[in-house]
Short mmCIF file of all heavy atoms in Angstrom, two decimals:
data_model
loop_
_atom_site.label_atom_id
_atom_site.label_comp_id
_atom_site.label_asym_id
_atom_site.label_seq_id
_atom_site.Cartn_x
_atom_site.Cartn_y
_atom_site.Cartn_z
N LEU A 53 110.73 103.56 100.98
CA LEU A 53 110.63 102.86 99.70
C LEU A 53 109.37 103.24 98.93
O LEU A 53 109.24 102.91 97.75
CB LEU A 53 110.72 101.35 99.91
CG LEU A 53 109.84 100.70 100.98
CD1 LEU A 53 108.49 100.34 100.40
CD2 LEU A 53 110.53 99.48 101.54
N ILE A 74 115.10 105.17 104.42
CA ILE A 74 114.86 104.40 105.65
C ILE A 74 114.57 102.96 105.24
O ILE A 74 113.45 102.46 105.36
CB ILE A 74 113.70 104.99 106.48
CG1 ILE A 74 113.84 106.51 106.62
CG2 ILE A 74 113.63 104.33 107.86
CD1 ILE A 74 112.67 107.18 107.34
N ALA A 75 115.55 102.30 104.72
CA ALA A 75 115.43 100.92 104.24
C ALA A 75 116.81 100.47 103.81
O ALA A 75 117.67 101.30 103.48
CB ALA A 75 114.48 100.83 103.04
N VAL A 76 116.99 99.16 103.79
CA VAL A 76 118.26 98.66 103.23
C VAL A 76 118.16 98.61 101.71
O VAL A 76 119.11 98.95 101.00
CB VAL A 76 118.65 97.28 103.84
CG1 VAL A 76 117.66 96.19 103.50
CG2 VAL A 76 120.03 96.87 103.39
N GLY A 77 116.98 98.22 101.19
CA GLY A 77 116.77 98.19 99.74
C GLY A 77 116.63 99.62 99.24
O GLY A 77 116.08 100.47 99.94
N THR A 96 119.98 101.73 105.18
CA THR A 96 120.05 101.30 106.59
C THR A 96 120.32 99.79 106.70
O THR A 96 119.45 99.03 107.11
CB THR A 96 118.73 101.63 107.33
OG1 THR A 96 117.67 100.89 106.71
CG2 THR A 96 118.40 103.10 107.29
N LEU A 100 118.46 95.78 110.43
CA LEU A 100 117.23 95.01 110.21
C LEU A 100 117.49 93.55 109.83
O LEU A 100 116.56 92.79 109.57
CB LEU A 100 116.36 95.68 109.14
CG LEU A 100 117.02 96.14 107.85
CD1 LEU A 100 117.44 95.00 106.97
CD2 LEU A 100 116.08 97.06 107.10
N THR A 237 111.97 89.83 100.14
CA THR A 237 112.92 90.83 99.68
C THR A 237 112.22 91.95 98.92
O THR A 237 111.90 92.98 99.49
CB THR A 237 114.12 90.17 98.95
OG1 THR A 237 114.95 91.17 98.46
CG2 THR A 237 113.75 89.18 97.86
N ARG A 238 111.89 91.74 97.66
CA ARG A 238 111.19 92.78 96.89
C ARG A 238 110.25 92.14 95.88
O ARG A 238 110.56 91.08 95.32
CB ARG A 238 112.19 93.63 96.10
CG ARG A 238 112.88 94.73 96.87
CD ARG A 238 111.92 95.85 97.24
NE ARG A 238 112.60 96.91 97.96
CZ ARG A 238 112.82 96.94 99.28
NH1 ARG A 238 112.40 95.95 100.04
NH2 ARG A 238 113.45 97.96 99.83
N HIS A 285 104.53 93.48 103.61
CA HIS A 285 105.89 94.05 103.64
C HIS A 285 106.29 94.50 105.06
O HIS A 285 106.59 95.67 105.29
CB HIS A 285 106.00 95.22 102.65
CG HIS A 285 107.42 95.45 102.20
ND1 HIS A 285 107.77 95.89 100.94
CD2 HIS A 285 108.61 95.30 102.85
CE1 HIS A 285 109.08 96.00 100.84
NE2 HIS A 285 109.61 95.64 101.99
N SER A 288 110.87 94.05 108.29
CA SER A 288 111.70 94.73 109.30
C SER A 288 110.86 95.35 110.40
O SER A 288 111.37 96.13 111.21
CB SER A 288 112.52 95.82 108.61
OG SER A 288 111.66 96.78 108.00
N ARG A 294 112.44 99.22 113.58
CA ARG A 294 112.00 100.39 112.82
C ARG A 294 112.55 101.68 113.46
O ARG A 294 112.90 102.63 112.76
CB ARG A 294 110.48 100.41 112.71
CG ARG A 294 109.94 99.36 111.71
CD ARG A 294 110.12 99.80 110.27
NE ARG A 294 109.92 98.74 109.31
CZ ARG A 294 108.77 98.44 108.69
NH1 ARG A 294 107.67 99.10 108.97
NH2 ARG A 294 108.73 97.47 107.80
N MET A 297 116.13 101.82 112.33
CA MET A 297 116.23 102.20 110.90
C MET A 297 116.08 103.72 110.75
O MET A 297 116.85 104.37 110.02
CB MET A 297 115.15 101.49 110.08
CG MET A 297 115.41 100.01 109.87
SD MET A 297 113.94 99.13 109.30
CE MET A 297 113.74 99.80 107.65
C1 DGY B 1 114.11 97.30 103.43
O1 DGY B 1 114.75 97.81 104.35
O2 DGY B 1 114.52 97.25 102.27
C2 DGY B 1 112.79 96.73 103.79
O3 DGY B 1 112.17 96.11 102.74
C3 DGY B 1 111.92 97.81 104.38
O4 DGY B 1 111.25 97.23 105.41
#
Side-chain angles (χ1 to χ4, degrees):
L53 49 87
I74 313 176
V76 64
T96 63
L100 47 70
T237 176
R238 278 291 181 274
H285 205 146
S288 61
R294 286 283 166 93
M297 287 165 68

